[in-house]
Amino acid sequence: MKKILLSLLFILGINVIATAQEYKIVTVVESLVPNGLGRSRIIIANDSRDYKEFTTTRSADKEKNKKNKSDRGDIRVKEFNETKLLNFYNIGGIRFQNIAANDALVTSMINDMVSQGWTLEFVNTGVEAYGGKDDKNAIFITRYTFKK
């Protein structure tokens, strides 16, 4: 009886370990351009790409170099969902209502992903801006990494 129980637990353990995991990245781009001129969006790719198809291997030995023959245009994903968000600024300056509205939409997206069986694993943020004296243009990017 003990052998049967141990064998069953072993088989179940292997099955859990062998379960594949899938990741999905959702990117939120929020404009920091004044006067409401920027574009803010939630972007979710519907297509996938195999990074290996676009990877080049290089070495000191030129004969061993392997070049990938794919075109950069092949990397582009044309199938994606784009959800409009409001910009942080309008003519009157920063709009806290817009930030609250964006938070509501992003929360809705996260809740929808979780209801589909995804788990939020990581959140990474960044700002792209020149940062010089007269810089008034920037974007705030947040990447949400989900796992299933």
Side-chain angles (χ1 to χ4, degrees), residues 133-144:
K133 179 181 170 186
D134 296 324
D135 183 24
K136 295 181 181 177
N137 299 314
I139 56 173
F140 186 75
I141 296 177
T142 306
R143 286 214 163 106
Y144 298 89

Side-chain angles (χ1 to χ4, degrees), residues 22-28 42-47 80-81 109 113 118-124 141-148:
E22 180 182 358
Y23 290 89
K24 186 168 194 77
I25 295 175
V26 176
T27 300
V28 176
I42 298 173
I43 305 295
I44 303 174
N46 294 330
D47 272 345
F80 61 93
N81 295 341
M109 177 272 304
M113 296 287 292
W118 294 95
T119 303
L120 181 60
E121 287 291 305
F122 308 104
V123 179
N124 300 316
I141 296 177
T142 306
R143 286 214 163 106
Y144 298 89
T145 304
F146 292 89
K147 180 173 82 171
K148 196 180 218 181

Side-chain angles (χ1 to χ4, degrees), residues 68-84:
N68 194 302
K69 296 181 181 176
S70 62
D71 185 6
R72 289 181 55 134
D74 296 336
I75 297 173
R76 285 189 173 73
V77 171
K78 296 179 182 175
E79 299 285 330
F80 61 93
N81 295 341
E82 179 180 29
T83 304
K84 292 182 181 179

Side-chain angles (χ1 to χ4, degrees), residues 5-47:
L5 185 59
L6 287 174
S7 297
L8 185 59
L9 288 173
F10 179 74
I11 291 170
L12 287 173
I14 289 175
N15 190 25
V16 170
I17 292 171
T19 303
Q21 295 180 345
E22 180 182 358
Y23 290 89
K24 186 168 194 77
I25 295 175
V26 176
T27 300
V28 176
V29 179
E30 295 177 283
S31 173
L32 301 176
V33 178
N35 301 325
L37 297 175
R39 297 186 324 167
S40 299
R41 303 283 190 270
I42 298 173
I43 305 295
I44 303 174
N46 294 330
D47 272 345

Side-chain angles (χ1 to χ4, degrees), residues 85-133:
L85 296 174
L86 299 173
N87 296 326
F88 283 169
Y89 291 101
N90 68 7
I91 293 177
I94 192 165
R95 293 283 299 185
F96 295 107
Q97 290 173 333
N98 290 5
I99 294 170
N102 289 357
D103 287 351
L105 289 171
V106 171
T107 300
S108 172
M109 177 272 304
I110 291 171
N111 287 335
D112 183 53
M113 296 287 292
V114 169
S115 74
Q116 294 176 36
W118 294 95
T119 303
L120 181 60
E121 287 291 305
F122 308 104
V123 179
N124 300 316
T125 61
V127 174
E128 171 60 36
Y130 167 68
K133 179 181 170 186

